[in-house]
Amino acid sequence: MQKPFLFTVVALFVATQLLIAQSGKVFDNLSVPSKILKSDRKFAIYLPPNYETSQRTYPVLYLLHGAGDDQTGWVQFGEVQHIAEKAFSDGTATPMIIVMPDANTGTRGYANDPKNEWRYEDFFFQELMPYVEKTYRIKTEKRFRAVAGLSMGGGGSFTYALHHPELFSSACPLSAATGPLTLEDVKAQLKRTKPDVTYTDAEMEAYYKRQSVLELIKNVPDDQKKAVRWYIDCGDDDFLFEGNSLVHIAMRKKEIPHEFRIHDGGHTWTYWRKALPTVLSFVSDAFHQY
């Protein structure tokens, strides 16, 4: 009786260890000191299965949250761990590290403000990215780095990849905020959100040129049209549908290759959870070796 019992205990132990090894880990309350923003900045990170037991390096996806959320949004509401591990198990995506920064503390958003007094974008590229790629076993070549995000984070995905096409192999804006359509929109927005601050015409024009996705697309050099692989997705009932459609049209006219998908749905987590597996598969196409 003792041997079968012992065998069962050993088998259960081995099965448990295998299950643990097949599950990744999420840390959603990490921080990095920022001289640029004069504060500690939080971020979350997902480490894929077997990260702790292997020595391999991994590709990375920077996954940006929307307005009102923080670094925990994709963890809690987006169910990133469950969705990613199902994609890895199904073979539709390759294991990757997923970094989710907080852009909701202090001044909300992924951009530098018009006066360059709050420089979140500079923090992202000069401090956050070097920190995580030094701290974790992340492949640092462009082909192994991607950016994606929803709503405000979709806007960040657009601008980051358009500002730095040398850094990202793929960009996947979901239900994206596409920035001001005109310079007059910038003036109205700043007057509404910062009524006590006076901006010069030069500051507003520079901000417009850096944050309007349509303006950035218009100025993409011919030799950079294929620098980034684009997957753009928006629900047919989303209030940001018009801006995303205009971006699609502008990319078509500019002959910038991209995937543009419209699905049934609105500006909801239900929509973004359904979109995430496709994002993981799309960025994995660049991570793979052919």
Side-chain angles (χ1 to χ4, degrees):
M1 294 291 294
Q2 291 181 343
K3 287 186 177 180
F5 176 76
L6 181 61
F7 176 80
T8 301
V9 171
V10 172
L12 286 172
F13 176 79
V14 171
T16 301
Q17 294 304 306
L18 286 172
L19 186 61
I20 292 173
Q22 292 169 0
S23 179
K25 288 188 176 181
V26 170
F27 302 90
D28 66 0
N29 196 34
L30 302 173
S31 63
V32 53
S34 171
K35 293 181 180 179
I36 291 173
L37 298 180
K38 300 179 177 64
S39 62
D40 289 346
R41 300 299 304 187
K42 289 187 176 181
F43 69 95
I45 195 164
Y46 165 74
L47 302 176
N50 301 318
Y51 177 86
E52 294 181 336
T53 58
S54 75
Q55 294 300 314
R56 65 169 290 192
T57 55
Y58 291 85
V60 63
L61 170 65
Y62 290 90
L63 188 58
L64 312 182
H65 66 77
D69 284 321
D70 57 24
Q71 80 281 1
T72 66
W74 275 107
V75 175
Q76 182 174 356
F77 306 120
E79 300 176 9
V80 65
Q81 180 173 2
H82 169 73
I83 292 171
E85 289 176 8
K86 185 177 187 304
F88 303 157
S89 177
D90 293 345
T92 55
T94 189
M96 67 187 76
I97 290 172
I98 302 176
V99 178
M100 296 155 280
D102 171 26
N104 197 52
T105 303
T107 297
R108 177 183 289 178
Y110 296 94
N112 293 354
D113 70 17
K115 289 186 174 294
N116 258 351
E117 293 172 350
W118 180 263
R119 297 162 47 215
Y120 190 93
E121 181 170 343
D122 290 347
F123 153 75
F124 183 93
F125 288 103
Q126 297 174 29
E127 294 181 328
L128 176 67
M129 185 182 290
Y131 175 84
V132 297
E133 297 192 359
K134 180 180 178 181
T135 305
Y136 301 93
R137 298 195 309 275
I138 292 175
K139 295 179 181 292
T140 57
E141 301 96 326
K142 163 183 168 160
R143 62 169 292 191
F144 297 113
R145 186 186 298 113
V147 62
L150 66 90
S151 194
M152 180 180 79
S157 304
F158 267 127
T159 56
Y160 282 9
L162 287 165
H163 291 166
H164 292 283
E166 77 281 3
L167 293 180
F168 299 104
S169 57
S170 304
C172 303
L174 306 175
S175 311
T178 56
L181 297 180
T182 66
L183 184 56
E184 292 304 313
D185 287 345
V186 172
K187 295 178 181 179
Q189 174 190 335
L190 292 176
K191 185 176 182 180
R192 184 175 64 253
T193 57
K194 302 282 186 178
D196 299 328
V197 181
T198 301
Y199 299 95
T200 67
D201 289 342
E203 287 171 338
M204 289 188 287
E205 183 176 0
Y207 183 80
Y208 168 68
K209 289 181 177 179
R210 283 193 62 80
Q211 297 307 316
S212 169
V213 176
L214 290 175
E215 186 71 10
L216 289 168
I217 288 170
K218 184 174 72 174
N219 292 300
V220 171
D222 288 344
D223 63 355
Q224 293 294 309
K225 289 180 180 179
K226 298 181 179 180
V228 178
R229 301 170 63 254
W230 291 98
Y231 178 83
I232 304 164
D233 186 353
C234 190
D236 58 358
D237 295 320
D238 198 303
F239 70 95
L240 294 174
F241 177 83
E242 180 181 2
N244 284 265
S245 299
L246 291 173
V247 166
H248 163 59
I249 293 168
M251 284 186 161
R252 284 286 301 269
K253 290 181 177 179
K254 189 74 174 179
E255 298 182 338
I256 297 174
H258 64 287
E259 301 292 329
F260 180 58
R261 297 291 178 266
I262 298 297
H263 298 102
D264 181 40
H267 206 75
T268 67
W269 275 109
T270 299
Y271 190 90
W272 302 318
R273 283 191 295 268
K274 289 180 181 178
L276 185 56
T278 304
V279 168
L280 297 175
S281 175
F282 184 84
V283 301
S284 292
D285 286 343
F287 297 159
H288 284 145
Q289 181 72 47
Y290 292 99

PDB file of all heavy atoms in Angstrom, residues 89-90 101 128 163 196-197 203 210 236 246 254 269 272 282:
ATOM      1  N   SER A  89       0.456  28.708 -25.712  1.00  0.00           N
ATOM      2  CA  SER A  89       0.117  27.281 -25.707  1.00  0.00           C
ATOM      3  C   SER A  89      -0.439  26.834 -27.049  1.00  0.00           C
ATOM      4  O   SER A  89      -0.130  25.739 -27.531  1.00  0.00           O
ATOM      5  CB  SER A  89      -0.912  27.010 -24.602  1.00  0.00           C
ATOM      6  OG  SER A  89      -1.318  25.654 -24.607  1.00  0.00           O
ATOM      7  N   ASP A  90      -1.258  27.697 -27.667  1.00  0.00           N
ATOM      8  CA  ASP A  90      -1.850  27.360 -28.968  1.00  0.00           C
ATOM      9  C   ASP A  90      -0.840  27.460 -30.108  1.00  0.00           C
ATOM     10  O   ASP A  90      -1.114  27.002 -31.222  1.00  0.00           O
ATOM     11  CB  ASP A  90      -3.017  28.295 -29.274  1.00  0.00           C
ATOM     12  CG  ASP A  90      -4.195  28.089 -28.331  1.00  0.00           C
ATOM     13  OD1 ASP A  90      -4.221  27.052 -27.638  1.00  0.00           O
ATOM     14  OD2 ASP A  90      -5.075  28.976 -28.283  1.00  0.00           O
ATOM     15  N   PRO A 101       3.649  50.327 -18.711  1.00  0.00           N
ATOM     16  CA  PRO A 101       3.986  51.494 -17.877  1.00  0.00           C
ATOM     17  C   PRO A 101       2.752  52.234 -17.386  1.00  0.00           C
ATOM     18  O   PRO A 101       1.652  52.080 -17.933  1.00  0.00           O
ATOM     19  CB  PRO A 101       4.799  52.365 -18.842  1.00  0.00           C
ATOM     20  CG  PRO A 101       4.251  52.033 -20.192  1.00  0.00           C
ATOM     21  CD  PRO A 101       3.857  50.583 -20.148  1.00  0.00           C
ATOM     22  N   LEU A 128      12.803  54.524 -18.978  1.00  0.00           N
ATOM     23  CA  LEU A 128      12.072  53.269 -18.787  1.00  0.00           C
ATOM     24  C   LEU A 128      12.597  52.151 -19.677  1.00  0.00           C
ATOM     25  O   LEU A 128      12.925  51.061 -19.193  1.00  0.00           O
ATOM     26  CB  LEU A 128      10.576  53.472 -19.043  1.00  0.00           C
ATOM     27  CG  LEU A 128       9.743  52.178 -18.968  1.00  0.00           C
ATOM     28  CD1 LEU A 128       9.713  51.641 -17.545  1.00  0.00           C
ATOM     29  CD2 LEU A 128       8.325  52.402 -19.488  1.00  0.00           C
ATOM     30  N   HIS A 163       7.487  58.380 -34.315  1.00  0.00           N
ATOM     31  CA  HIS A 163       8.657  59.162 -33.903  1.00  0.00           C
ATOM     32  C   HIS A 163       9.932  58.337 -33.952  1.00  0.00           C
ATOM     33  O   HIS A 163      11.015  58.880 -34.227  1.00  0.00           O
ATOM     34  CB  HIS A 163       8.476  59.663 -32.462  1.00  0.00           C
ATOM     35  CG  HIS A 163       7.420  60.709 -32.304  1.00  0.00           C
ATOM     36  ND1 HIS A 163       6.909  61.082 -31.076  1.00  0.00           N
ATOM     37  CD2 HIS A 163       6.762  61.471 -33.226  1.00  0.00           C
ATOM     38  CE1 HIS A 163       5.988  62.020 -31.255  1.00  0.00           C
ATOM     39  NE2 HIS A 163       5.881  62.268 -32.538  1.00  0.00           N
ATOM     40  N   ASP A 196      -5.360  78.141 -17.468  1.00  0.00           N
ATOM     41  CA  ASP A 196      -4.515  79.128 -16.782  1.00  0.00           C
ATOM     42  C   ASP A 196      -3.106  79.231 -17.376  1.00  0.00           C
ATOM     43  O   ASP A 196      -2.291  80.031 -16.903  1.00  0.00           O
ATOM     44  CB  ASP A 196      -4.405  78.777 -15.293  1.00  0.00           C
ATOM     45  CG  ASP A 196      -5.757  78.793 -14.601  1.00  0.00           C
ATOM     46  OD1 ASP A 196      -6.612  79.592 -15.017  1.00  0.00           O
ATOM     47  OD2 ASP A 196      -5.962  77.990 -13.666  1.00  0.00           O
ATOM     48  N   VAL A 197      -2.829  78.409 -18.385  1.00  0.00           N
ATOM     49  CA  VAL A 197      -1.491  78.390 -18.980  1.00  0.00           C
ATOM     50  C   VAL A 197      -1.526  79.088 -20.333  1.00  0.00           C
ATOM     51  O   VAL A 197      -2.422  78.867 -21.145  1.00  0.00           O
ATOM     52  CB  VAL A 197      -0.973  76.943 -19.149  1.00  0.00           C
ATOM     53  CG1 VAL A 197       0.426  76.947 -19.755  1.00  0.00           C
ATOM     54  CG2 VAL A 197      -0.974  76.221 -17.809  1.00  0.00           C
ATOM     55  N   GLU A 203       4.870  76.992 -29.693  1.00  0.00           N
ATOM     56  CA  GLU A 203       4.692  75.815 -28.832  1.00  0.00           C
ATOM     57  C   GLU A 203       3.499  74.979 -29.297  1.00  0.00           C
ATOM     58  O   GLU A 203       3.590  73.744 -29.370  1.00  0.00           O
ATOM     59  CB  GLU A 203       4.497  76.253 -27.380  1.00  0.00           C
ATOM     60  CG  GLU A 203       5.762  76.757 -26.714  1.00  0.00           C
ATOM     61  CD  GLU A 203       5.502  77.379 -25.357  1.00  0.00           C
ATOM     62  OE1 GLU A 203       4.348  77.812 -25.094  1.00  0.00           O
ATOM     63  OE2 GLU A 203       6.452  77.453 -24.557  1.00  0.00           O
ATOM     64  N   ARG A 210       3.880  67.047 -33.533  1.00  0.00           N
ATOM     65  CA  ARG A 210       4.366  65.833 -32.880  1.00  0.00           C
ATOM     66  C   ARG A 210       3.240  64.902 -32.427  1.00  0.00           C
ATOM     67  O   ARG A 210       3.468  63.707 -32.260  1.00  0.00           O
ATOM     68  CB  ARG A 210       5.245  66.184 -31.671  1.00  0.00           C
ATOM     69  CG  ARG A 210       6.646  66.639 -32.045  1.00  0.00           C
ATOM     70  CD  ARG A 210       7.565  66.663 -30.849  1.00  0.00           C
ATOM     71  NE  ARG A 210       7.764  65.362 -30.228  1.00  0.00           N
ATOM     72  CZ  ARG A 210       8.609  64.441 -30.688  1.00  0.00           C
ATOM     73  NH1 ARG A 210       9.302  64.660 -31.794  1.00  0.00           N
ATOM     74  NH2 ARG A 210       8.743  63.288 -30.054  1.00  0.00           N
ATOM     75  N   ASP A 236     -16.746  49.227 -34.691  1.00  0.00           N
ATOM     76  CA  ASP A 236     -17.623  50.027 -35.552  1.00  0.00           C
ATOM     77  C   ASP A 236     -18.532  50.967 -34.760  1.00  0.00           C
ATOM     78  O   ASP A 236     -19.089  51.913 -35.310  1.00  0.00           O
ATOM     79  CB  ASP A 236     -18.447  49.131 -36.481  1.00  0.00           C
ATOM     80  CG  ASP A 236     -19.303  48.115 -35.732  1.00  0.00           C
ATOM     81  OD1 ASP A 236     -19.231  48.069 -34.484  1.00  0.00           O
ATOM     82  OD2 ASP A 236     -20.051  47.365 -36.397  1.00  0.00           O
ATOM     83  N   LEU A 246      -9.752  57.924 -40.789  1.00  0.00           N
ATOM     84  CA  LEU A 246      -8.966  58.939 -41.489  1.00  0.00           C
ATOM     85  C   LEU A 246      -7.486  58.546 -41.555  1.00  0.00           C
ATOM     86  O   LEU A 246      -6.815  58.796 -42.564  1.00  0.00           O
ATOM     87  CB  LEU A 246      -9.125  60.290 -40.798  1.00  0.00           C
ATOM     88  CG  LEU A 246     -10.508  60.940 -40.911  1.00  0.00           C
ATOM     89  CD1 LEU A 246     -10.582  62.197 -40.047  1.00  0.00           C
ATOM     90  CD2 LEU A 246     -10.824  61.276 -42.372  1.00  0.00           C
ATOM     91  N   LYS A 254      -0.687  57.548 -48.747  1.00  0.00           N
ATOM     92  CA  LYS A 254       0.768  57.656 -48.592  1.00  0.00           C
ATOM     93  C   LYS A 254       1.472  56.370 -49.001  1.00  0.00           C
ATOM     94  O   LYS A 254       2.691  56.318 -49.104  1.00  0.00           O
ATOM     95  CB  LYS A 254       1.092  57.988 -47.131  1.00  0.00           C
ATOM     96  CG  LYS A 254       2.536  58.346 -46.847  1.00  0.00           C
ATOM     97  CD  LYS A 254       2.917  59.717 -47.342  1.00  0.00           C
ATOM     98  CE  LYS A 254       4.319  60.084 -46.909  1.00  0.00           C
ATOM     99  NZ  LYS A 254       4.752  61.400 -47.373  1.00  0.00           N
ATOM    100  N   TRP A 269     -13.567  47.017 -22.703  1.00  0.00           N
ATOM    101  CA  TRP A 269     -12.584  45.966 -22.424  1.00  0.00           C
ATOM    102  C   TRP A 269     -12.958  44.660 -23.104  1.00  0.00           C
ATOM    103  O   TRP A 269     -12.077  43.867 -23.465  1.00  0.00           O
ATOM    104  CB  TRP A 269     -12.437  45.775 -20.915  1.00  0.00           C
ATOM    105  CG  TRP A 269     -11.458  46.737 -20.305  1.00  0.00           C
ATOM    106  CD1 TRP A 269     -11.725  47.793 -19.489  1.00  0.00           C
ATOM    107  CD2 TRP A 269     -10.035  46.726 -20.496  1.00  0.00           C
ATOM    108  NE1 TRP A 269     -10.565  48.452 -19.156  1.00  0.00           N
ATOM    109  CE2 TRP A 269      -9.509  47.815 -19.754  1.00  0.00           C
ATOM    110  CE3 TRP A 269      -9.149  45.911 -21.211  1.00  0.00           C
ATOM    111  CZ2 TRP A 269      -8.147  48.108 -19.704  1.00  0.00           C
ATOM    112  CZ3 TRP A 269      -7.796  46.198 -21.168  1.00  0.00           C
ATOM    113  CH2 TRP A 269      -7.306  47.280 -20.424  1.00  0.00           C
ATOM    114  N   TRP A 272     -11.282  44.919 -26.394  1.00  0.00           N
ATOM    115  CA  TRP A 272      -9.817  44.863 -26.362  1.00  0.00           C
ATOM    116  C   TRP A 272      -9.301  43.482 -25.955  1.00  0.00           C
ATOM    117  O   TRP A 272      -8.259  43.054 -26.428  1.00  0.00           O
ATOM    118  CB  TRP A 272      -9.286  45.963 -25.445  1.00  0.00           C
ATOM    119  CG  TRP A 272      -9.747  47.319 -25.885  1.00  0.00           C
ATOM    120  CD1 TRP A 272      -9.814  47.782 -27.178  1.00  0.00           C
ATOM    121  CD2 TRP A 272     -10.258  48.373 -25.073  1.00  0.00           C
ATOM    122  NE1 TRP A 272     -10.322  49.056 -27.201  1.00  0.00           N
ATOM    123  CE2 TRP A 272     -10.602  49.453 -25.929  1.00  0.00           C
ATOM    124  CE3 TRP A 272     -10.437  48.523 -23.696  1.00  0.00           C
ATOM    125  CZ2 TRP A 272     -11.125  50.649 -25.456  1.00  0.00           C
ATOM    126  CZ3 TRP A 272     -10.962  49.717 -23.213  1.00  0.00           C
ATOM    127  CH2 TRP A 272     -11.296  50.763 -24.090  1.00  0.00           C
ATOM    128  N   PHE A 282       0.276  39.005 -34.349  1.00  0.00           N
ATOM    129  CA  PHE A 282       0.834  39.929 -35.347  1.00  0.00           C
ATOM    130  C   PHE A 282       2.267  40.309 -34.995  1.00  0.00           C
ATOM    131  O   PHE A 282       3.154  40.269 -35.860  1.00  0.00           O
ATOM    132  CB  PHE A 282      -0.047  41.178 -35.437  1.00  0.00           C
ATOM    133  CG  PHE A 282       0.382  42.147 -36.498  1.00  0.00           C
ATOM    134  CD1 PHE A 282      -0.021  41.986 -37.809  1.00  0.00           C
ATOM    135  CD2 PHE A 282       1.179  43.242 -36.184  1.00  0.00           C
ATOM    136  CE1 PHE A 282       0.379  42.884 -38.800  1.00  0.00           C
ATOM    137  CE2 PHE A 282       1.571  44.144 -37.155  1.00  0.00           C
ATOM    138  CZ  PHE A 282       1.172  43.968 -38.471  1.00  0.00           C
TER     139      PHE A 282
END
